[in-house]
Amino acid sequence: QVQMVESGGGLVQTGGSLRLSCAASGRTDANYAFTWFRQAPGKEREFVGGIHWSRSNTNYADSVKGRFTCSRDNAKNTVYLQMNGLKPEDTAVYYCAATRSLLSIYTTRSAYDFWGQGTQVTVSS
């Protein structure tokens, strides 16, 4: 079992930046992928980006490439999502998710076993 707690959401103006954090605890080891999803009102939860815990490879949705960056701090058991150049369409609840993986950063919601509670990001125009 893996527990995750997100933080760092808030209100920001268009073009601004936020950094989300996902603190993980429980039975984690090197073979995990940690990923961010987001869900806007009335829309499906969608993949944003993710990072492999030990291999550090990343994967991003086309809509955020070049603006968002995933990273991790092994010592703090924390994964980050740095969001720059925010747009109103980035407004959503952002969720951290984890699953066992040797390398892949899966992009489908069903691939993930563990989820955080979510943190709200609102981008004003």
Side-chain angles (χ1 to χ4, degrees), residues 57-87:
N57 55 297
T58 56
N59 190 17
Y60 298 97
D62 288 343
S63 59
V64 306
K65 278 181 182 176
R67 300 189 298 125
F68 291 11
T69 303
C70 294
S71 63
R72 87 271 188 271
D73 185 329
N74 292 36
K76 295 182 178 180
N77 272 0
T78 300
V79 174
Y80 301 99
L81 180 67
Q82 177 66 44
M83 304 185 294
N84 299 328
L86 283 161
K87 306 174 182 179

Side-chain angles (χ1 to χ4, degrees), residues 15 22 45 47 60 79-80 88 91:
C22 173
R45 193 171 297 188
F47 169 79
Y60 298 97
V79 174
Y80 301 99
T91 295

Side-chain angles (χ1 to χ4, degrees), residues 19-51:
R19 189 178 77 159
L20 305 183
S21 300
C22 173
S25 60
R27 296 185 62 183
T28 57
D29 56 39
N31 293 320
Y32 268 84
F34 285 84
T35 298
W36 294 91
F37 284 75
R38 66 187 181 187
Q39 188 165 17
K43 294 188 176 182
E44 295 290 318
R45 193 171 297 188
E46 64 175 3
F47 169 79
V48 175
I51 186 167

Side-chain angles (χ1 to χ4, degrees), residues 10-18 85-92 120-125:
L11 173 65
V12 64
Q13 291 185 334
T14 296
S17 298
L18 282 174
L86 283 161
K87 306 174 182 179
E89 51 263 43
D90 294 319
T91 295
Q120 176 71 46
V121 172
T122 303
V123 185
S124 63
S125 57

